[in-house]
Amino acid sequence: MFSLSAQHKATLFGLLAILLWSSVVGLIRSVSEGLGPIGGAAMIYSVSAAFLLLVLRLPNLRHFPRLYLILGSLLFVSYEICLSLSLGYANTRLQAIEVGMINYLWPCFTVLMALVFNGQKAKWWLLPGLLLSLFGIGWIMSGEGGWSPAQMLENVRSNPLSYSLAFSGAVIWALYCNLTKKIAQGSNGVVLFITLTAVALWLKYAFSTESGMQFTWPVTLTLLCAGAAMGAGYAAWNVGILHGNMTLLATVSYFTPVLSAVFAALVLDTSLTVSFWQGVVMVTLGSLICWQATRGK
């Protein structure tokens, strides 16, 4: 009878996490349309925090490095707020998906920062990979007609808040990945960080002018799916990186932009143009090239 080894099971958990995270962009946008950008995000992270507290429970924070608790919390919470609000504040569903793609510049930025913070060695093709990803984002932001600097700038001017939040989020997450690797000392504070994100969003909601949230059955179901997907994604990824095949997981994770676009188009019932998909392919290939440029023999 066929049975999976412990490593194969852990790898499957890691692959499941990638699928779950790929669904988050569309789900966050869908919830924000019903509950508001801030209120919807606060509800999603509250559900996610409750899920993680039930599954993983809050670890003993006394054993965590203090610098990791402070800096890790600040970076993680800032990133999640940037991601969720960039999607919620998008003018249209299509723009929300475009903004979501900007978030996937973080793998390239992570590799670039690793050269500075961690003394990472890289091959010469790192720069072409980075430029390809950036060009892919520009291609996506230019709309149907292919790359156009004027059209790209016009799209940014139409909603500078969403685009700037998304770009800032990509930079912040790259910083988080590099810095926490050095200061975490094997600790995993994701349960605390998600909980703090929910608290921060509720504080922001309390001082905002958003009107009361209107719960309907479709919105409530989407909210539960979004919170569970985010929480389960972090829980499953933790198993995958500890016990699974990291080479396979790292490779597959670079295809997350493609999966995210597919899920978002389905959840938001939005048609994506050929130019959009061309840009997504560029971002994905650019990220893979950057990753390959830093791998040893």
Side-chain angles (χ1 to χ4, degrees):
M1 186 176 180
F2 178 75
S3 62
L4 294 174
S5 67
Q7 186 188 41
H8 287 157
K9 290 179 181 178
T11 303
L12 288 177
F13 271 107
L15 294 174
L16 175 62
I18 293 170
L19 287 175
L20 290 171
W21 282 334
S22 298
S23 68
V24 166
V25 167
L27 292 172
I28 289 177
R29 172 63 188 188
S30 184
V31 172
S32 71
E33 290 178 352
L35 303 181
I38 305 174
M43 286 299 303
I44 289 172
Y45 284 95
S46 297
V47 172
S48 180
F51 179 91
L52 286 171
L53 286 169
L54 286 173
V55 175
L56 300 179
R57 299 186 180 182
L58 191 66
N60 190 340
L61 302 181
R62 289 180 297 179
H63 299 311
F64 281 36
R66 181 168 296 182
L67 182 60
Y68 170 61
L69 283 175
I70 298 173
L71 191 57
S73 297
L74 179 62
L75 292 174
F76 189 101
V77 171
S78 298
Y79 164 73
E80 297 293 348
I81 290 176
C82 284
L83 172 63
S84 57
L85 295 188
S86 68
L87 298 171
Y89 285 135
N91 293 331
T92 64
R93 290 183 168 186
L94 179 59
Q95 188 176 78
I97 300 175
E98 291 180 359
V99 165
M101 289 303 104
I102 297 176
N103 172 67
Y104 292 111
L105 283 173
W106 72 262
C108 292
F109 291 159
T110 299
V111 171
L112 193 61
M113 291 180 186
L115 302 179
V116 178
F117 293 114
N118 300 327
Q120 176 73 54
K121 304 296 182 182
K123 308 294 191 304
W124 63 268
W125 58 80
L126 171 67
L127 182 59
L130 178 62
L131 292 177
L132 180 60
S133 280
L134 290 171
F135 186 74
I137 291 298
W139 193 275
I140 290 171
M141 292 168 58
S142 296
E144 178 60 37
W147 189 66
S148 167
Q151 185 60 44
M152 182 178 67
L153 290 174
E154 183 63 28
N155 287 342
V156 173
R157 289 194 190 101
S158 70
N159 192 348
L161 179 59
S162 277
Y163 285 106
S164 60
L165 283 172
F167 187 83
S168 299
V171 174
I172 291 170
W173 191 250
L175 275 170
Y176 174 86
C177 292
N178 277 286
L179 294 180
T180 56
K181 183 177 181 180
K182 299 178 66 174
I183 64 178
Q185 298 178 18
S187 303
N188 182 7
V190 66
V191 180
L192 171 66
F193 298 161
I194 287 287
T195 303
L196 289 176
T197 303
V199 172
L201 284 165
W202 281 120
L203 287 173
K204 183 171 179 60
Y205 180 78
F207 292 98
S208 72
T209 57
E210 278 191 11
S211 57
M213 295 178 279
Q214 300 295 321
F215 287 91
T216 62
W217 280 113
V219 169
T220 302
L221 180 60
T222 306
L223 166 64
L224 293 175
C225 290
M230 187 175 295
Y234 279 113
W237 184 251
N238 189 45
V239 175
I241 61 174
L242 287 176
H243 308 291
N245 184 333
M246 270 310 298
T247 300
L248 175 62
L249 292 177
T251 303
V252 175
S253 69
Y254 282 93
F255 292 93
T256 306
V258 178
L259 296 173
S260 179
V262 171
F263 279 118
L266 292 173
V267 171
L268 300 175
D269 191 23
T270 302
S271 298
L272 301 177
T273 65
V274 174
S275 294
F276 179 92
W277 286 113
Q278 290 171 341
V280 170
V281 171
M282 292 180 203
V283 174
T284 302
L285 289 178
S287 298
L288 277 169
I289 291 171
C290 288
W291 177 59
Q292 283 289 334
T294 60
R295 295 190 68 194
K297 294 183 180 179

